[in-house]
Amino acid sequence: MASGVKPRVKVPKTAAAGEAVVIKTLISHEMESGQRKDKEGKVIPRSIINRFTCDFNGQNVIDVTLEPAISTNPYFQFEATVPETGEFVFTWHDDDGSVYEDKQSITVG
Amino acid sequence: MTFTRRETLALGLGAAALSVLPIHARAATWDELIAEFTGGAAMADTGITLTAPEIAENGNTVPIDVAAPGATAIMVLATGNPTPPVATFNFGPLAASQAASTRIRLAKTQDLIAIAKLADGSFAKAQATVKVTIGGCGG
């Protein structure tokens, strides 16, 4: 079910040291809740992303547990502190075991 | 359309199985989930904000916003959904603010509850009622 999964992340290119930056993430995913039924009345099995994490240079920013009540194409917006130049690593963990990853580097000027 | 005895029996069994299933498939109720998260501790009414629209036309994507300065974790529950848990946000050392926005599904008009676990071990709770015009669970 996990076809066409594409993460999109918006992180500023530069920041001042210690500045709080706003991060927006979106990943295209059906997030099948396991509640819907198909035409024959059979329940469509659950298939969601169950965990999202964001780390900066190995330190955790946010770790979210997702449940079926999260909308299709899960979207998150949050703020991170940027102490130094480095890289944000975003991971999404699918029910089927796949892990989708995206990286964004930011320069402290 | 006529049914043979065998078909009728099979139909009856199927219906019985269907009516029993949801009870077993259903996760813990929302008050059990709160008790599990807080360990039964009392919750303050301040220190957390939960922003949700008063009326959501489409229950499939309802934008919500939670913020609790100094929290280590925030749990969001939808009391009227078939499965009440929505999400749990755990904030790491580099989180600039203990706040996050996302979009959620709501099956019907109901109360949303957000509970924050604060750094000193206490808990705070916020509640918001959302009116839903079209449910988000695909009936």
Side-chain angles (χ1 to χ4, degrees):
Chain A
M1 292 301 278
S3 58
V5 175
K6 190 182 169 210
R8 292 183 194 86
V9 176
K10 205 171 173 187
V11 177
K13 292 268 176 288
T14 58
E19 192 188 335
V21 295
V22 175
I23 296 177
K24 293 177 181 180
T25 72
L26 183 76
I27 186 164
S28 45
H29 193 284
E30 275 190 320
M31 295 292 281
E32 191 58 64
S33 66
Q35 300 287 336
R36 295 198 309 159
K37 293 186 175 112
D38 62 12
K39 278 181 204 140
E40 283 91 48
K42 281 183 282 190
V43 172
I44 306 170
R46 164 183 149 153
S47 167
I48 68 163
I49 288 173
N50 55 45
R51 187 172 172 223
F52 164 72
T53 65
C54 171
D55 292 274
F56 181 74
N57 287 354
Q59 272 198 290
N60 184 249
V61 177
I62 196 168
D63 185 338
V64 187
T65 309
L66 284 74
E67 305 286 348
I70 297 290
S71 297
T72 306
N73 304 339
Y75 162 84
F76 290 107
Q77 182 188 325
F78 52 93
E79 288 185 314
T81 312
V82 185
E84 73 242 342
T85 299
E87 194 177 49
F88 281 104
V89 178
F90 305 90
T91 58
W92 291 262
H93 300 256
D94 199 303
D95 264 354
D96 66 11
S98 334
V99 176
Y100 316 109
E101 198 176 76
D102 196 12
K103 290 176 183 173
Q104 295 283 330
S105 47
I106 186 163
T107 315
V108 169
Chain B
M1 198 174 183
T2 53
F3 291 111
T4 64
R5 184 169 170 274
R6 186 169 298 223
E7 281 169 340
T8 316
L9 264 176
L11 270 176
L13 278 177
L18 270 179
S19 58
V20 169
L21 254 180
I23 298 162
H24 287 288
R26 186 162 294 194
T29 59
W30 57 271
D31 39 359
E32 283 169 15
L33 287 159
I34 293 177
E36 197 183 310
F37 187 72
T38 62
M43 291 172 283
D45 287 336
T46 53
I48 178 166
T49 50
L50 167 65
T51 314
E54 245 173 71
I55 299 173
E57 279 188 15
N58 183 355
N60 270 311
T61 58
V62 183
I64 63 154
D65 202 345
V66 284
T72 54
I74 300 177
M75 178 173 72
V76 182
L77 298 171
T79 54
N81 270 9
T83 55
V86 174
T88 306
F89 301 92
N90 297 294
F91 299 100
L94 282 184
S97 63
Q98 283 69 37
S101 310
T102 187
R103 296 172 189 150
I104 67 169
R105 291 181 178 134
L106 295 175
K108 58 182 184 197
T109 299
Q110 58 181 279
D111 285 339
L112 275 181
I113 296 178
I115 296 170
K117 187 189 219 167
L118 302 172
D120 61 3
S122 64
F123 293 89
K125 177 179 154 185
Q127 199 162 339
T129 306
V130 182
K131 286 199 170 89
V132 177
T133 318
I134 303 167
C137 275

